[in-house]
Amino acid sequence: MLQSWVIIPVSLAYIGVLFAIARYGDSRADQGRSIIANPYIYALSLGVYATTWTFYGSVGRAAGDGVGFLPIYLGPTLMMALWWQVMRKIIRISKTNRITSLADFISSRYGKSALIAGLVTVIAVIGVVPYIALQLKAVSQSFTILVRYPELAMSGLREPSPVVSDTAFWTALLLATFTILFGTRHLDASERHEGLVAAIAFESLVKLVAFLAVGLFVTYGIYDGLADIFSRAAAHARLANLFAPLGGAAGSYASWAWLTALSMLAIMFLPRQFQIAVVENVDENHLGKAIWLFPLYMLAMNVFVVPIAFGGVMHFPGLAVDPDAFVLTLPMGEKQEALALLVFIGGLSAATGMVIVETIALSTMVCNDLVMPVLLRMKWTRIAERENLTGLLLGIRRGAIVAVVMLGYLYFRLAGEAYALVAIGLISFAAVAQFAPATFGGIYWKGATRAGALAGLSAGFAVWLYTLLLPSFAKSGWLPIGFLEQGPFGIAILKPYALFGLEGLNDITHAMLWSGIANVGAYVVVSVLTRQDAAEQAQAARFVDVFRRAGEELDVHLWKGTASLPDLMALLGRFLGPERAQAAVADYARRRGFASPAAMPADAGLVQFAETALAGAIGGASARIMVASTVKEDVLSIDEVRSMLDEASQVIAYSHELRQKSQALMTATTELRAANERLQELDRLKDDFISTVTHELRTPLTSIRAFSEILRDNPGLDAAEREKFLGIIIQESERLTRLINQVLDLAKLESGRAEWQMQEIDPRMVIEDSIDATGQLFRARNVGLEARLPASVPPIHGDRDRLVQVLINLLSNAAKFVQPDSGRVIVALSAGPDTLRVAVTDNGPGVRAEDREIIFEKFRQAGDTMTEKPQGTGLGLPISRQIVEHFGGRLWVESAPGEGATFAFDLPRAKAPAVGPAPGG
Amino acid sequence: MFRSVIKGQRLLAVFLLGVLLFNYPLLALFNRAAEAFGIPAVYAYVFGAWTLVIGLLALVIERSR
């Protein structure tokens, strides 16, 4: 089943699945229900780091020197620990400034320099081309090996075939096509590709599963577990040397450390890693879980490397089988066709993932940071005046993708055959490591200048070219080999592998050392010797202090000039499309608190907003050029910027302090105002209270006085009349006394001076006593009273006399309001889980909804007190409520007019009262 | 913010531990013809240390969440 007519359709079907996933991811993103917005997908998509180099090459390397493949994964593991600080900052900066590629990032930091953007792009493209070649080589090689099944030997594989029948060529074409379909279907202002990320995460799973499957098969299928492999290897002449490989086969500890450092930088600066980790990042917080999940992924990917390598070496004694292909040839040798096919697919996913993401990242850079700035500067192209540029942008990107992949193929044809997979990859690592000084310096060192960055990048890149790339051409015969052995023109001191006579290091360590010295040296020295211009200084502050400043407040300070809203809108519209431009500007106006964009001044903030929005589509450097051509800008002098920055940071410091103080003041003011309001309210209440009390006292007094005067002035009144008037006087005096008592009582309750005799009491007794006390009233009005008391209830904690007072009040109210003769009142006691409930239900007129709270207010009675004769003092219910609340309970009324009313209160069961011990009691 | 700074410092400590574990001289101690569970010492050591570092990273990240 391993003929090419099986392998090719299966491969195409696999890529079809990837497509389906990508489409699904995109459509979910359009609906706003992202499938990649979680840390697990983020961590898996970071697995794009593991390419065919990992999949095939690690085993090859392990077969040669044992542990030499490990630093490539230990380095990133260590780096992940620093990501919390470093990568979070880079992501924050990128999101704030709409940065969409590494070139954009570095150039933005150094004053949006188009020159730096271009240089970074060139380094990235040239540096990564060998890496892409590596993927092509791995795919074509694994395909060739697979179709030769069941033959395993590699003889004849190395003969160059014409381009048309070269698998690598067709692989390259296919990959370029897929990348175009995946990555440039439409122009996205943020350069984010949700569907693509989902597909990459899936690929990470596939390659892991395939590799683990081979590992398990070799370890437990062919051999008898790890111990078996290692014990046999110990008896093997060559493998036995690999049991303590360091300092010997795997190179010195120094080169081990260098490789670790190199891969630490690679995980940050490979264009595809930057794309996935920064540009495609959905949420900064996903970084957290990725910090340990991604290293775990790499660990899983590497567990079986050594067993497969050793197993392979022992399994094919004397056969010309390339160790780079052990992953494939071991299942083939055991006639495991399905497994071999799975491995091929795993390798394919490792290659496609890498090539797709890498070329998308590179094409963004080539388009935004290399081609567009050049086109925009060439006035005769009149490109800046075109109506719609989105088509042009897409065209450039597609062209860039094809060009990059074809460059990879070219390198594969020229130099690829001379190297093992790992060696090719390391050349690329060393190239992207050149970005490290300018980036790390850029986000932590405000003084770094554009000239410094330019010098550092150029010097490092030049040394890399000379010590790694050119030698790789020489080794493949495209340059005279004497260039390597005797040095250029026979100058021994310039030998690329032993520059200035530095011998005894491997090529990568050697190149790292010299390029590092050149890069960091030039960067620091030139930065110190040159001065920043205004734009650089502004950008430096924006990058280094990203966590401290809210970006926009600085922008407003750092621009002088005149702009017009329609011009800026037209500019945005050309790159983003008119509708999206309109929506973006309207949104911005809203955020700044303007009703419509037209109401907004065309000020520094707006210009900065337009430039940032544009940067998302065409990169920072191009955006700068476009905006500068649209608005009239006054050039700020360096002193102006410096003083603005100083001023800004001082102002920020002051305003921070000020904000804290004014916040404290505001809190105090609010408290004061509340206290004042409360006081005024109390004052008003007191006044109300006094006037009401006076009024209430005057009514009985007036009638007492009136009747007394009648009695005095009419000595001739008959006995019955006199008796009646005296009765009224006594009655009114009693009412007066009651009123005064209640006012005093209420005042005591409210001021907390009331005395409470707190004790355990039986509520049944309280109710029975109250019924006895009010019995006369009920009998006089001929109202029925029924008590529904349970046989036993738990005791409560309270003041017996006060409770009796409450109950008497409720009962006498009920007796007063029901109709004589037909009235009925029920007292019910029931026990809840925490409370006891006493309910007094009558069949009187009921209480209207609007009166249900009023009746608990002082001197307020339901109904119209002006026309109806008051039925009580208006203080009974407020006092009752005060008492019940003092016991930690509550008193309320349930009623429907015409159907009677139920006054009920809950009391907590025997516990200390919720309000605390009674004062003075 | 404060918690984030603490976390960053703990991660930095794990980083330094990793640098120590994965380099000379500790690495050299295990670079010899000895075995642990049938696995050559240096492989057992590197993979063990690697697992430890990942475990510590997970601990720092997940604990204070």
Side-chain angles (χ1 to χ4, degrees), chain A residues 4-20 170-171 174-175 177-178 341 344-345 348 352:
Chain A
S4 52
W5 60 264
V6 176
I7 301 167
I8 292 173
V10 168
S11 311
L12 291 179
Y14 171 70
I15 289 171
V17 169
L18 288 186
F19 256 109
W170 293 109
T171 313
L174 206 67
L175 284 177
T177 317
F178 284 131
L341 195 59
F344 177 76
I345 294 297
L348 190 66
T352 48

PDB file of all heavy atoms in Angstrom, chain A residues 4-20 170-171 174-175 177-178 341 344-345 348 352:
ATOM      1  N   SER A   4       3.114   5.344  -4.824  1.00  0.00           N
ATOM      2  CA  SER A   4       2.869   6.786  -4.837  1.00  0.00           C
ATOM      3  C   SER A   4       1.388   7.091  -5.062  1.00  0.00           C
ATOM      4  O   SER A   4       0.892   8.120  -4.602  1.00  0.00           O
ATOM      5  CB  SER A   4       3.722   7.467  -5.910  1.00  0.00           C
ATOM      6  OG  SER A   4       3.528   6.820  -7.141  1.00  0.00           O
ATOM      7  N   TRP A   5       0.652   6.189  -5.746  1.00  0.00           N
ATOM      8  CA  TRP A   5      -0.775   6.500  -5.942  1.00  0.00           C
ATOM      9  C   TRP A   5      -1.594   6.362  -4.663  1.00  0.00           C
ATOM     10  O   TRP A   5      -2.749   6.757  -4.604  1.00  0.00           O
ATOM     11  CB  TRP A   5      -1.385   5.680  -7.088  1.00  0.00           C
ATOM     12  CG  TRP A   5      -1.312   4.172  -6.889  1.00  0.00           C
ATOM     13  CD1 TRP A   5      -0.375   3.330  -7.368  1.00  0.00           C
ATOM     14  CD2 TRP A   5      -2.238   3.362  -6.165  1.00  0.00           C
ATOM     15  NE1 TRP A   5      -0.616   2.050  -6.990  1.00  0.00           N
ATOM     16  CE2 TRP A   5      -1.768   2.041  -6.244  1.00  0.00           C
ATOM     17  CE3 TRP A   5      -3.413   3.628  -5.439  1.00  0.00           C
ATOM     18  CZ2 TRP A   5      -2.429   0.981  -5.636  1.00  0.00           C
ATOM     19  CZ3 TRP A   5      -4.057   2.565  -4.831  1.00  0.00           C
ATOM     20  CH2 TRP A   5      -3.570   1.251  -4.943  1.00  0.00           C
ATOM     21  N   VAL A   6      -0.978   5.798  -3.636  1.00  0.00           N
ATOM     22  CA  VAL A   6      -1.645   5.821  -2.329  1.00  0.00           C
ATOM     23  C   VAL A   6      -1.163   7.030  -1.517  1.00  0.00           C
ATOM     24  O   VAL A   6      -1.946   7.757  -0.919  1.00  0.00           O
ATOM     25  CB  VAL A   6      -1.355   4.522  -1.548  1.00  0.00           C
ATOM     26  CG1 VAL A   6      -1.966   4.614  -0.152  1.00  0.00           C
ATOM     27  CG2 VAL A   6      -1.879   3.326  -2.290  1.00  0.00           C
ATOM     28  N   ILE A   7       0.160   7.205  -1.537  1.00  0.00           N
ATOM     29  CA  ILE A   7       0.744   8.230  -0.668  1.00  0.00           C
ATOM     30  C   ILE A   7       0.254   9.628  -1.027  1.00  0.00           C
ATOM     31  O   ILE A   7      -0.137  10.411  -0.158  1.00  0.00           O
ATOM     32  CB  ILE A   7       2.289   8.192  -0.766  1.00  0.00           C
ATOM     33  CG1 ILE A   7       2.781   6.807  -0.352  1.00  0.00           C
ATOM     34  CG2 ILE A   7       2.902   9.260   0.118  1.00  0.00           C
ATOM     35  CD1 ILE A   7       4.211   6.562  -0.693  1.00  0.00           C
ATOM     36  N   ILE A   8       0.247   9.906  -2.337  1.00  0.00           N
ATOM     37  CA  ILE A   8      -0.118  11.271  -2.746  1.00  0.00           C
ATOM     38  C   ILE A   8      -1.573  11.609  -2.396  1.00  0.00           C
ATOM     39  O   ILE A   8      -1.822  12.652  -1.768  1.00  0.00           O
ATOM     40  CB  ILE A   8       0.192  11.478  -4.244  1.00  0.00           C
ATOM     41  CG1 ILE A   8       1.713  11.465  -4.425  1.00  0.00           C
ATOM     42  CG2 ILE A   8      -0.386  12.797  -4.741  1.00  0.00           C
ATOM     43  CD1 ILE A   8       2.181  11.485  -5.847  1.00  0.00           C
ATOM     44  N   PRO A   9      -2.538  10.739  -2.737  1.00  0.00           N
ATOM     45  CA  PRO A   9      -3.917  11.072  -2.315  1.00  0.00           C
ATOM     46  C   PRO A   9      -4.071  11.202  -0.806  1.00  0.00           C
ATOM     47  O   PRO A   9      -4.772  12.099  -0.322  1.00  0.00           O
ATOM     48  CB  PRO A   9      -4.743   9.898  -2.837  1.00  0.00           C
ATOM     49  CG  PRO A   9      -3.953   9.352  -3.953  1.00  0.00           C
ATOM     50  CD  PRO A   9      -2.515   9.555  -3.605  1.00  0.00           C
ATOM     51  N   VAL A  10      -3.398  10.325  -0.059  1.00  0.00           N
ATOM     52  CA  VAL A  10      -3.513  10.433   1.398  1.00  0.00           C
ATOM     53  C   VAL A  10      -2.973  11.781   1.875  1.00  0.00           C
ATOM     54  O   VAL A  10      -3.591  12.467   2.691  1.00  0.00           O
ATOM     55  CB  VAL A  10      -2.777   9.266   2.091  1.00  0.00           C
ATOM     56  CG1 VAL A  10      -2.632   9.532   3.587  1.00  0.00           C
ATOM     57  CG2 VAL A  10      -3.520   7.967   1.871  1.00  0.00           C
ATOM     58  N   SER A  11      -1.831  12.186   1.321  1.00  0.00           N
ATOM     59  CA  SER A  11      -1.253  13.473   1.702  1.00  0.00           C
ATOM     60  C   SER A  11      -2.197  14.606   1.359  1.00  0.00           C
ATOM     61  O   SER A  11      -2.421  15.524   2.164  1.00  0.00           O
ATOM     62  CB  SER A  11       0.076  13.708   0.982  1.00  0.00           C
ATOM     63  OG  SER A  11       0.901  12.589   1.111  1.00  0.00           O
ATOM     64  N   LEU A  12      -2.757  14.542   0.148  1.00  0.00           N
ATOM     65  CA  LEU A  12      -3.673  15.609  -0.265  1.00  0.00           C
ATOM     66  C   LEU A  12      -4.912  15.624   0.628  1.00  0.00           C
ATOM     67  O   LEU A  12      -5.396  16.693   1.002  1.00  0.00           O
ATOM     68  CB  LEU A  12      -4.068  15.442  -1.732  1.00  0.00           C
ATOM     69  CG  LEU A  12      -2.926  15.702  -2.717  1.00  0.00           C
ATOM     70  CD1 LEU A  12      -3.388  15.494  -4.148  1.00  0.00           C
ATOM     71  CD2 LEU A  12      -2.375  17.119  -2.557  1.00  0.00           C
ATOM     72  N   ALA A  13      -5.384  14.418   0.971  1.00  0.00           N
ATOM     73  CA  ALA A  13      -6.551  14.354   1.852  1.00  0.00           C
ATOM     74  C   ALA A  13      -6.228  14.988   3.195  1.00  0.00           C
ATOM     75  O   ALA A  13      -7.036  15.731   3.771  1.00  0.00           O
ATOM     76  CB  ALA A  13      -6.985  12.905   2.050  1.00  0.00           C
ATOM     77  N   TYR A  14      -5.021  14.728   3.677  1.00  0.00           N
ATOM     78  CA  TYR A  14      -4.616  15.313   4.964  1.00  0.00           C
ATOM     79  C   TYR A  14      -4.641  16.835   4.881  1.00  0.00           C
ATOM     80  O   TYR A  14      -5.168  17.527   5.760  1.00  0.00           O
ATOM     81  CB  TYR A  14      -3.230  14.825   5.353  1.00  0.00           C
ATOM     82  CG  TYR A  14      -2.667  15.547   6.546  1.00  0.00           C
ATOM     83  CD1 TYR A  14      -3.203  15.349   7.818  1.00  0.00           C
ATOM     84  CD2 TYR A  14      -1.625  16.458   6.414  1.00  0.00           C
ATOM     85  CE1 TYR A  14      -2.718  16.021   8.911  1.00  0.00           C
ATOM     86  CE2 TYR A  14      -1.131  17.142   7.504  1.00  0.00           C
ATOM     87  CZ  TYR A  14      -1.675  16.921   8.746  1.00  0.00           C
ATOM     88  OH  TYR A  14      -1.197  17.595   9.830  1.00  0.00           O
ATOM     89  N   ILE A  15      -4.096  17.348   3.783  1.00  0.00           N
ATOM     90  CA  ILE A  15      -4.084  18.805   3.638  1.00  0.00           C
ATOM     91  C   ILE A  15      -5.510  19.331   3.490  1.00  0.00           C
ATOM     92  O   ILE A  15      -5.846  20.419   3.979  1.00  0.00           O
ATOM     93  CB  ILE A  15      -3.174  19.212   2.463  1.00  0.00           C
ATOM     94  CG1 ILE A  15      -1.724  18.948   2.880  1.00  0.00           C
ATOM     95  CG2 ILE A  15      -3.334  20.685   2.127  1.00  0.00           C
ATOM     96  CD1 ILE A  15      -0.716  19.089   1.805  1.00  0.00           C
ATOM     97  N   GLY A  16      -6.375  18.522   2.861  1.00  0.00           N
ATOM     98  CA  GLY A  16      -7.786  18.894   2.783  1.00  0.00           C
ATOM     99  C   GLY A  16      -8.406  19.041   4.167  1.00  0.00           C
ATOM    100  O   GLY A  16      -9.157  19.984   4.427  1.00  0.00           O
ATOM    101  N   VAL A  17      -8.044  18.114   5.063  1.00  0.00           N
ATOM    102  CA  VAL A  17      -8.548  18.202   6.438  1.00  0.00           C
ATOM    103  C   VAL A  17      -8.085  19.505   7.082  1.00  0.00           C
ATOM    104  O   VAL A  17      -8.855  20.220   7.739  1.00  0.00           O
ATOM    105  CB  VAL A  17      -8.072  16.992   7.272  1.00  0.00           C
ATOM    106  CG1 VAL A  17      -8.363  17.214   8.745  1.00  0.00           C
ATOM    107  CG2 VAL A  17      -8.731  15.728   6.771  1.00  0.00           C
ATOM    108  N   LEU A  18      -6.806  19.833   6.856  1.00  0.00           N
ATOM    109  CA  LEU A  18      -6.285  21.092   7.406  1.00  0.00           C
ATOM    110  C   LEU A  18      -7.119  22.268   6.935  1.00  0.00           C
ATOM    111  O   LEU A  18      -7.460  23.174   7.693  1.00  0.00           O
ATOM    112  CB  LEU A  18      -4.837  21.312   6.957  1.00  0.00           C
ATOM    113  CG  LEU A  18      -3.774  20.429   7.562  1.00  0.00           C
ATOM    114  CD1 LEU A  18      -2.410  20.906   7.115  1.00  0.00           C
ATOM    115  CD2 LEU A  18      -3.870  20.459   9.078  1.00  0.00           C
ATOM    116  N   PHE A  19      -7.452  22.221   5.641  1.00  0.00           N
ATOM    117  CA  PHE A  19      -8.260  23.286   5.067  1.00  0.00           C
ATOM    118  C   PHE A  19      -9.601  23.403   5.752  1.00  0.00           C
ATOM    119  O   PHE A  19     -10.056  24.494   6.085  1.00  0.00           O
ATOM    120  CB  PHE A  19      -8.506  23.036   3.585  1.00  0.00           C
ATOM    121  CG  PHE A  19      -7.659  23.912   2.761  1.00  0.00           C
ATOM    122  CD1 PHE A  19      -6.613  23.412   2.044  1.00  0.00           C
ATOM    123  CD2 PHE A  19      -7.901  25.271   2.754  1.00  0.00           C
ATOM    124  CE1 PHE A  19      -5.814  24.234   1.315  1.00  0.00           C
ATOM    125  CE2 PHE A  19      -7.105  26.102   2.013  1.00  0.00           C
ATOM    126  CZ  PHE A  19      -6.049  25.583   1.285  1.00  0.00           C
ATOM    127  N   ALA A  20     -10.217  22.225   5.925  1.00  0.00           N
ATOM    128  CA  ALA A  20     -11.533  22.227   6.562  1.00  0.00           C
ATOM    129  C   ALA A  20     -11.433  22.876   7.939  1.00  0.00           C
ATOM    130  O   ALA A  20     -12.264  23.710   8.313  1.00  0.00           O
ATOM    131  CB  ALA A  20     -12.059  20.801   6.671  1.00  0.00           C
ATOM    132  N   TRP A 170       8.036  19.880  -6.657  1.00  0.00           N
ATOM    133  CA  TRP A 170       6.564  19.818  -6.596  1.00  0.00           C
ATOM    134  C   TRP A 170       6.069  20.088  -5.185  1.00  0.00           C
ATOM    135  O   TRP A 170       5.042  20.741  -4.987  1.00  0.00           O
ATOM    136  CB  TRP A 170       6.068  18.463  -7.115  1.00  0.00           C
ATOM    137  CG  TRP A 170       6.362  18.361  -8.578  1.00  0.00           C
ATOM    138  CD1 TRP A 170       7.290  17.578  -9.184  1.00  0.00           C
ATOM    139  CD2 TRP A 170       5.740  19.127  -9.610  1.00  0.00           C
ATOM    140  NE1 TRP A 170       7.304  17.783 -10.539  1.00  0.00           N
ATOM    141  CE2 TRP A 170       6.362  18.733 -10.835  1.00  0.00           C
ATOM    142  CE3 TRP A 170       4.753  20.099  -9.652  1.00  0.00           C
ATOM    143  CZ2 TRP A 170       6.001  19.280 -12.069  1.00  0.00           C
ATOM    144  CZ3 TRP A 170       4.397  20.642 -10.873  1.00  0.00           C
ATOM    145  CH2 TRP A 170       5.002  20.241 -12.053  1.00  0.00           C
ATOM    146  N   THR A 171       6.821  19.604  -4.199  1.00  0.00           N
ATOM    147  CA  THR A 171       6.459  19.915  -2.813  1.00  0.00           C
ATOM    148  C   THR A 171       6.450  21.421  -2.596  1.00  0.00           C
ATOM    149  O   THR A 171       5.521  21.983  -2.007  1.00  0.00           O
ATOM    150  CB  THR A 171       7.480  19.281  -1.839  1.00  0.00           C
ATOM    151  OG1 THR A 171       7.692  17.937  -2.224  1.00  0.00           O
ATOM    152  CG2 THR A 171       6.991  19.341  -0.422  1.00  0.00           C
ATOM    153  N   LEU A 174       3.484  23.039  -4.265  1.00  0.00           N
ATOM    154  CA  LEU A 174       2.266  22.711  -3.527  1.00  0.00           C
ATOM    155  C   LEU A 174       2.160  23.542  -2.252  1.00  0.00           C
ATOM    156  O   LEU A 174       1.115  24.133  -1.940  1.00  0.00           O
ATOM    157  CB  LEU A 174       2.321  21.222  -3.172  1.00  0.00           C
ATOM    158  CG  LEU A 174       0.992  20.526  -2.962  1.00  0.00           C
ATOM    159  CD1 LEU A 174       0.234  20.460  -4.279  1.00  0.00           C
ATOM    160  CD2 LEU A 174       1.245  19.121  -2.428  1.00  0.00           C
ATOM    161  N   LEU A 175       3.277  23.607  -1.518  1.00  0.00           N
ATOM    162  CA  LEU A 175       3.271  24.348  -0.256  1.00  0.00           C
ATOM    163  C   LEU A 175       2.996  25.834  -0.493  1.00  0.00           C
ATOM    164  O   LEU A 175       2.254  26.468   0.252  1.00  0.00           O
ATOM    165  CB  LEU A 175       4.604  24.167   0.474  1.00  0.00           C
ATOM    166  CG  LEU A 175       4.777  22.818   1.147  1.00  0.00           C
ATOM    167  CD1 LEU A 175       6.150  22.704   1.789  1.00  0.00           C
ATOM    168  CD2 LEU A 175       3.701  22.616   2.199  1.00  0.00           C
ATOM    169  N   THR A 177       1.295  27.114  -2.947  1.00  0.00           N
ATOM    170  CA  THR A 177      -0.130  27.248  -3.257  1.00  0.00           C
ATOM    171  C   THR A 177      -0.965  27.230  -1.987  1.00  0.00           C
ATOM    172  O   THR A 177      -1.843  28.070  -1.787  1.00  0.00           O
ATOM    173  CB  THR A 177      -0.574  26.088  -4.161  1.00  0.00           C
ATOM    174  OG1 THR A 177       0.428  25.892  -5.158  1.00  0.00           O
ATOM    175  CG2 THR A 177      -1.903  26.384  -4.805  1.00  0.00           C
ATOM    176  N   PHE A 178      -0.674  26.247  -1.137  1.00  0.00           N
ATOM    177  CA  PHE A 178      -1.471  26.133   0.084  1.00  0.00           C
ATOM    178  C   PHE A 178      -1.301  27.355   0.963  1.00  0.00           C
ATOM    179  O   PHE A 178      -2.263  27.838   1.561  1.00  0.00           O
ATOM    180  CB  PHE A 178      -1.088  24.875   0.856  1.00  0.00           C
ATOM    181  CG  PHE A 178      -1.655  23.647   0.234  1.00  0.00           C
ATOM    182  CD1 PHE A 178      -0.873  22.540  -0.017  1.00  0.00           C
ATOM    183  CD2 PHE A 178      -2.990  23.603  -0.146  1.00  0.00           C
ATOM    184  CE1 PHE A 178      -1.391  21.424  -0.618  1.00  0.00           C
ATOM    185  CE2 PHE A 178      -3.514  22.485  -0.750  1.00  0.00           C
ATOM    186  CZ  PHE A 178      -2.712  21.388  -0.985  1.00  0.00           C
ATOM    187  N   LEU A 341       3.129   5.054   6.942  1.00  0.00           N
ATOM    188  CA  LEU A 341       2.338   6.109   6.311  1.00  0.00           C
ATOM    189  C   LEU A 341       1.989   7.208   7.330  1.00  0.00           C
ATOM    190  O   LEU A 341       2.068   8.404   7.026  1.00  0.00           O
ATOM    191  CB  LEU A 341       1.052   5.508   5.721  1.00  0.00           C
ATOM    192  CG  LEU A 341       0.298   6.398   4.739  1.00  0.00           C
ATOM    193  CD1 LEU A 341       1.165   6.761   3.549  1.00  0.00           C
ATOM    194  CD2 LEU A 341      -0.978   5.711   4.263  1.00  0.00           C
ATOM    195  N   PHE A 344       4.919   9.349   7.759  1.00  0.00           N
ATOM    196  CA  PHE A 344       5.080  10.265   6.643  1.00  0.00           C
ATOM    197  C   PHE A 344       4.143  11.471   6.801  1.00  0.00           C
ATOM    198  O   PHE A 344       4.537  12.615   6.602  1.00  0.00           O
ATOM    199  CB  PHE A 344       4.802   9.542   5.318  1.00  0.00           C
ATOM    200  CG  PHE A 344       4.872  10.458   4.133  1.00  0.00           C
ATOM    201  CD1 PHE A 344       6.097  10.884   3.643  1.00  0.00           C
ATOM    202  CD2 PHE A 344       3.722  10.901   3.516  1.00  0.00           C
ATOM    203  CE1 PHE A 344       6.171  11.754   2.565  1.00  0.00           C
ATOM    204  CE2 PHE A 344       3.786  11.775   2.433  1.00  0.00           C
ATOM    205  CZ  PHE A 344       5.014  12.193   1.956  1.00  0.00           C
ATOM    206  N   ILE A 345       2.905  11.171   7.197  1.00  0.00           N
ATOM    207  CA  ILE A 345       1.950  12.267   7.409  1.00  0.00           C
ATOM    208  C   ILE A 345       2.413  13.170   8.544  1.00  0.00           C
ATOM    209  O   ILE A 345       2.317  14.402   8.474  1.00  0.00           O
ATOM    210  CB  ILE A 345       0.535  11.700   7.715  1.00  0.00           C
ATOM    211  CG1 ILE A 345      -0.013  10.968   6.490  1.00  0.00           C
ATOM    212  CG2 ILE A 345      -0.430  12.807   8.123  1.00  0.00           C
ATOM    213  CD1 ILE A 345      -0.225  11.856   5.284  1.00  0.00           C
ATOM    214  N   LEU A 348       4.994  15.300   7.235  1.00  0.00           N
ATOM    215  CA  LEU A 348       4.359  16.277   6.344  1.00  0.00           C
ATOM    216  C   LEU A 348       3.739  17.410   7.157  1.00  0.00           C
ATOM    217  O   LEU A 348       3.856  18.585   6.800  1.00  0.00           O
ATOM    218  CB  LEU A 348       3.285  15.579   5.505  1.00  0.00           C
ATOM    219  CG  LEU A 348       2.686  16.397   4.374  1.00  0.00           C
ATOM    220  CD1 LEU A 348       3.740  16.680   3.317  1.00  0.00           C
ATOM    221  CD2 LEU A 348       1.503  15.676   3.750  1.00  0.00           C
ATOM    222  N   THR A 352       4.645  21.205   6.637  1.00  0.00           N
ATOM    223  CA  THR A 352       3.655  22.179   6.160  1.00  0.00           C
ATOM    224  C   THR A 352       3.421  23.272   7.195  1.00  0.00           C
ATOM    225  O   THR A 352       3.353  24.445   6.857  1.00  0.00           O
ATOM    226  CB  THR A 352       2.309  21.509   5.840  1.00  0.00           C
ATOM    227  OG1 THR A 352       1.956  20.675   6.937  1.00  0.00           O
ATOM    228  CG2 THR A 352       2.386  20.685   4.587  1.00  0.00           C
TER     229      THR A 352
END
